[in-house]
């Protein structure tokens, strides 16, 4: 049996391990943290990622804990409408709607699908270390700050700070509309969740340094006077309800996702800003594509000839790099557009046209 060392047990590492195990590989996941990550807000899971989860045999389980998203509205701070985001259109084009899934639920479903004992927690690993050298393939899934990316391709490719900071969480307020509201240098989004709570997120340019007491109050101030129910939702926050992330992507774009018998997946390959809500989704698609390339045509559980790893990784790179790098660039561009401080009237016209074409 061929062996895979997977570095990182986040969504991309865990999903790659599930896929490779189904394709007949012996997998070991090395995760630096001491335990499974159980925190984090909800993730929007797009139809292509649901299809990837179907291929991993997990689609129905994820749908059963998810909230399908209805149509949404893009608004200005005074509540006036910029455009409608039509869920039926997404469904007609892609066969399903976006589903909102708690990150901890997705992590738990992936974890339960792994072979027993496959994950070693508290185990930081290098792509040039002993375990990695001894295995047939090394899957680098160590996130946007990947130290192993530097080992494989050099220091030129780094996490780039965008200057925006995201805040998010969930509050016990019932809302009825999926919305995103764009102002100058900041925006806020609301999504009703299946249990009657509301998932919220906000992003702000040049937020003050981390660890500030009174962060919830400061955030309320950023959106004071914006249309309801934004005030009602943010009014419920305590500092400990606010999860905060400075935003990064990987820059410049990588010339390859594969090097020798190592391959990069998820944020390690092309961490993208969350503006399109696609980072985790594309990590899931990476995982099934990689597993398909490395399956050597075997069906689930079948044994067969050893796979030519070099050719399989080249195929994965050719399939995944162009599409994910386009999304990475589009996501960065959307983040800039949403925070525009000038020519917002023109921006709004362009966005309305794009969303209705
Ligand atoms: C505010 C925000 C909102 C988002 N919303 C969405 C959304 O709605 N939809 C969506 O699809 N995506 C979204 N994303 C993106 C998504 O969170 C990421 O793309 C996804 O989590 C990346 O998963 P990953 O496994 O590649 O990396 P990570 O989650 O960063 O996992 C990397 C893992 O590797 C481990 N590690 C690091 N170094 C080592 C080492 N040397 N040895 C062993 N382990 C190591 C780390 O401990 C970590 O567990 C959002 C991101 C942000 C910041």
């Amino acid at each position: 049996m061929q062996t895979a060392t997977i570095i990182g047990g986040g969504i991309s590492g865990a999903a790659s391990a599930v896929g490779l195990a189904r394709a007949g590989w012996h997998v070991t996941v090395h995760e630096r943290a001491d335990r499974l990550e159980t925190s984090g807000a909800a993730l929007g899971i797009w139809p292509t990622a649901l299809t990837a989860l179907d291929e991993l045999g997990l689609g129905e389980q994820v749908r059963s804990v998810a909230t399908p998203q209805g149509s949404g509205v893009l608004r200005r701070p005074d509540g006036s409408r910029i455009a409608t985001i039509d869920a039926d259109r997404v469904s007609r084009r892609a066969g399903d709607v976006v589903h909102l899934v708690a990150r901890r639920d997705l992590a738990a479903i992936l974890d339960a699908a792994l072979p027993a004992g496959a994950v070693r927690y508290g185990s930081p690993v290098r792509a040039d270390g002993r375990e990695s050298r001894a295995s047939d393939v090394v899957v680098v899934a160590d996130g946007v700050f990947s130290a192993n990316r530097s080992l494989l391709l050099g220091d030129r490719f780094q996490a780039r700070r965008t200057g925006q900071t995201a805040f998010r969480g969930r509050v016990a307020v019932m809302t009825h509309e999926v919305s995103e509201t764009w102002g100058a240098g900041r925006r806020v989004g609301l999504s009703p969740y299946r249990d009657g709570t509301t998932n919220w997120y906000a992003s702000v340019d040049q937020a003050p340094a981390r660890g500030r007491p009174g962060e919830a109050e400061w955030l309320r101030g950023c959106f004071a006077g914006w249309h309801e129910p934004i005030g009602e939702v943010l009014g419920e926050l305590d500092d400990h309800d606010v999860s905060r992330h400075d935003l990064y992507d990987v820059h410049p774009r990588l010339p390859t996702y594969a090097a020798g018998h190592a391959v990069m997946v998820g944020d390690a390959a092309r961490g993208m800003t969350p503006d399109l809500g696609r980072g985790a989704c594309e990590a899931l698609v990476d995982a099934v594509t990689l597993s398909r390339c490395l399956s050597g045509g075997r069906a689930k559980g079948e044994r067969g000839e050893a796979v030519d790893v070099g050719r399989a990784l080249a195929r994965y790179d050719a399939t995944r790099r162009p599409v994910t790098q386009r999304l990475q660039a589009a996501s960065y561009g959307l983040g800039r557009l949403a925070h525009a401080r000038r020519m917002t009237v023109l921006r709004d016209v362009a966005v309305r046209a794009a969303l209705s074409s």
Side-chain angles (χ1 to χ4, degrees):
M1 197 183 251
Q2 287 177 288
T3 56
T5 292
I6 295 164
I7 307 179
I11 290 167
S12 60
S16 298
V18 173
L20 286 174
R22 286 171 69 88
W25 285 70
H26 181 272
V27 296
T28 307
V29 180
H30 292 272
E31 168 52 51
R32 185 175 57 184
D34 291 336
R35 64 181 83 86
L36 184 69
E37 175 63 86
T38 53
S39 62
L43 292 167
I45 301 296
W46 285 72
T48 47
L50 288 168
T51 306
L53 285 162
D54 286 334
E55 201 166 319
L56 295 176
L58 304 175
E60 282 317 308
Q61 245 178 297
V62 170
R63 284 184 187 86
S64 73
V65 294
T67 305
Q69 282 228 7
S71 293
V73 184
L74 194 58
R75 296 189 183 280
R76 300 182 187 85
D78 65 5
S80 59
R81 180 185 295 245
I82 301 172
T84 299
I85 303 155
D86 183 359
D88 288 342
R89 217 163 129 243
V90 174
S91 178
R92 275 195 305 276
R93 282 191 179 172
D96 207 338
V97 293
V98 176
H99 283 56
L100 212 54
V101 181
R103 186 183 286 265
R104 66 167 174 278
D105 290 343
L106 179 59
I109 289 170
L110 289 169
D111 186 61
L114 285 167
V119 189
R120 299 198 190 147
Y121 288 105
S123 176
V125 158
R126 289 169 59 107
D128 60 356
R130 192 172 41 82
E131 299 90 336
S132 303
R133 287 199 312 271
S135 58
D136 294 297
V137 71
V138 181
V139 181
V140 171
D142 54 353
V144 69
F145 300 107
S146 174
N148 289 299
R149 181 175 61 231
S150 301
L151 283 179
L152 297 176
L153 299 180
D155 283 339
R156 216 178 121 227
F157 307 98
Q158 293 291 337
R160 164 177 66 171
R161 174 93 166 85
T162 66
Q164 298 180 1
T165 301
F167 303 84
R168 54 188 180 152
R170 203 182 322 164
V171 292
V173 172
M174 190 184 279
T175 53
H176 303 283
E177 180 184 82
V178 178
S179 68
E180 188 163 297
T181 305
W182 290 4
R186 57 198 58 184
R187 93 194 102 152
V188 61
L190 306 177
S191 318
Y193 207 64
R194 55 193 275 141
D195 58 2
T197 60
T198 293
N199 194 67
W200 66 271
Y201 58 90
S203 59
V204 177
D205 280 349
Q206 312 302 341
R210 175 182 278 276
R212 215 169 156 267
E215 191 139 83
E217 196 51 44
W218 173 81
L219 208 50
R220 279 190 277 277
C222 288
F223 299 98
W226 287 35
H227 68 84
E228 288 301 340
I230 293 169
E232 191 190 349
V233 166
L234 299 184
E236 286 299 306
L237 300 183
D238 287 328
D239 287 346
H240 66 263
D241 297 326
V242 179
S243 128
R244 171 186 173 126
H245 305 262
D246 292 333
L247 298 183
Y248 294 85
D249 68 357
V250 171
H251 188 78
R253 296 187 206 177
L254 306 193
T256 177
Y257 287 176
H261 73 310
V263 63
M264 286 167 273
V265 293
D267 280 11
R270 41 81 247 290
M272 57 176 93
T273 64
D275 301 283
L276 285 177
R278 292 293 281 266
C281 294
E282 295 308 311
L284 292 166
V285 180
D286 283 352
V288 295
T289 308
L290 180 65
S291 307
R292 236 184 271 141
C293 292
L294 285 168
S295 74
R298 288 188 298 257
K300 185 188 164 203
E302 263 178 28
R303 283 169 183 272
E305 298 281 300
V307 175
D308 178 336
V309 168
R311 283 178 59 179
L313 300 190
R315 207 157 62 240
Y316 163 82
D317 176 55
T319 311
R320 292 300 294 153
R321 191 160 45 85
V323 62
T324 51
Q325 290 185 337
R326 271 200 301 277
L327 284 168
Q328 182 190 21
S331 202
Y332 183 83
L334 182 61
R336 299 305 263 191
L337 194 69
H339 280 222
R341 291 167 188 273
R342 295 187 302 133
M343 297 203 284
T344 51
V345 175
L346 268 181
R347 171 197 71 184
D348 295 352
V349 170
V351 168
R352 188 165 43 238
L355 285 172
S356 60
S357 63

